[in-house]
């Protein structure tokens, strides 16, 4: 059972917009700690996609965006492309566990 | 460019020990905290350990505390994870990851991982 809760799967057609939620508590997301999102393509290592809730590292397309509200965060992907098919993981720090914590991951399928 | 190369994975019996290494290049290793994160087959990511840039402090989740030890040799640009009393639930791909520059460094760049199989 992961500390951060993500839907196991989402799907969308090419060109569409999808969102992935990440629900936490008052000791992690709700406490104001930064939320990160990672993309993990099949059989590869995770890659940082969003940091500090809404910032994109150099080279990440602006089709990817992050937001936060209360104890939840969201990753939005617009103009969906076949190469976006991957697992997406959210991450935050938890002050009650004194640990960096992850969501269980969400598998994005491009129809 | 940043490069992290893990090694040392393999098959180990329950109760056994193993030491993982992570060779870093392409950045000033001694300026950054470093993480180990694992991923069991078909599962999500689980943070395993963090060490400050100077090695002065180490942090672990309860699941590995007392069994795993993270260390680093800044003269060799190398990160280590000593694992002992291994259990079936430790079976996973282990990634080393560079920490970001922030007061709570999150993993930013990841290596390709090394597989640890715990089985009799």
């Amino acid at each position: 059972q992961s500390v951060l809760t993500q839907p196991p799967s989402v799907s969308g057609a090419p060109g569409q917009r999808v969102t992935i939620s990440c629900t936490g508590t008052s000791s992690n997301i709700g406490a104001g700690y930064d939320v990160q999102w990672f993309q993990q393509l099949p059989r590869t290592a995770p890659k940082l996609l969003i940091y500090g809730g809404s910032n994109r590292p150099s080279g990440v397309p602006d089709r990817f965006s992050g937001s936060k509200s209360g104890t939840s965060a969201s990753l939005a992907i617009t103009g969906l492309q076949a190469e976006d098919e991957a697992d997406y993981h959210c991450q935050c720090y938890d002050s009650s566990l004194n640990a960096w914590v992850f969501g269980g991951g969400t598998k994005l399928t491009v129809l | 460019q940043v490069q992290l190369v893990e090694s040392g994975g393999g098959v180990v019996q329950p109760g056994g020990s193993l030491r993982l290494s992570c060779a870093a290049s392409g950045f000033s290793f001694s300026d950054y905290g470093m993480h180990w994160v694992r991923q069991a087959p078909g599962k999500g990511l689980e943070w395993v350990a963090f060490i400050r840039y100077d090695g002065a402090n180490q942090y672990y989740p309860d699941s590995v505390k007392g069994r795993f030890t993270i260390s680093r040799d800044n003269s060799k640009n190398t990160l280590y994870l000593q694992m002992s009393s291994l259990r079936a639930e430790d079976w996973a791909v282990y990634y080393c990851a560079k920490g970001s520059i922030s007061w709570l460094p999150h993993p930013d760049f990841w290596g390709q991982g090394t597989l640890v199989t715990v089985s009799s």
Side-chain angles (χ1 to χ4, degrees), chain A residues 33 36 38 40 43-48 51-52 89 91 93 98-104, chain B residues 35 37 39 43-47 50 59-61 95 103-108 110-112:
Chain A
Y33 295 108
Q36 281 62 241
F38 298 90
Q40 187 174 25
R43 295 172 298 281
T44 68
K47 169 192 161 186
L48 182 64
Y51 67 96
H89 308 267
Q91 179 270 318
Y93 184 81
N98 292 316
W100 285 263
V101 294
F102 288 89
Chain B
H35 292 273
V37 179
Q39 187 171 32
K43 301 295 184 181
L45 301 169
E46 181 188 14
W47 170 70
F50 174 76
Y59 305 88
Y60 309 92
Y95 297 99
W103 71 287
L104 277 174
H106 59 261
D108 56 10
W110 302 55
Q112 286 306 301

Side-chain angles (χ1 to χ4, degrees), chain B residues 13-90:
Chain B
Q13 293 187 339
S17 299
L18 207 59
R19 188 177 86 154
L20 307 183
S21 299
C22 172
S25 61
F27 65 104
S28 182
F29 180 72
S30 59
D31 288 340
Y32 292 86
M34 296 291 295
H35 292 273
W36 285 100
V37 179
R38 68 185 179 185
Q39 187 171 32
K43 301 295 184 181
L45 301 169
E46 181 188 14
W47 170 70
V48 170
F50 174 76
I51 187 168
R52 277 170 41 108
Y53 68 97
D54 56 1
N57 296 94
Q58 305 85 36
Y59 305 88
Y60 309 92
D62 288 345
S63 59
V64 308
K65 198 174 294 182
R67 300 188 300 122
F68 289 12
T69 301
I70 187 173
S71 62
R72 64 191 297 159
D73 186 337
N74 285 346
S75 68
K76 295 182 178 179
N77 289 349
T78 302
L79 177 72
Y80 303 100
L81 184 69
Q82 178 68 47
M83 305 184 294
S84 61
S85 302
L86 283 162
R87 306 167 179 167
E89 55 264 36
D90 297 319

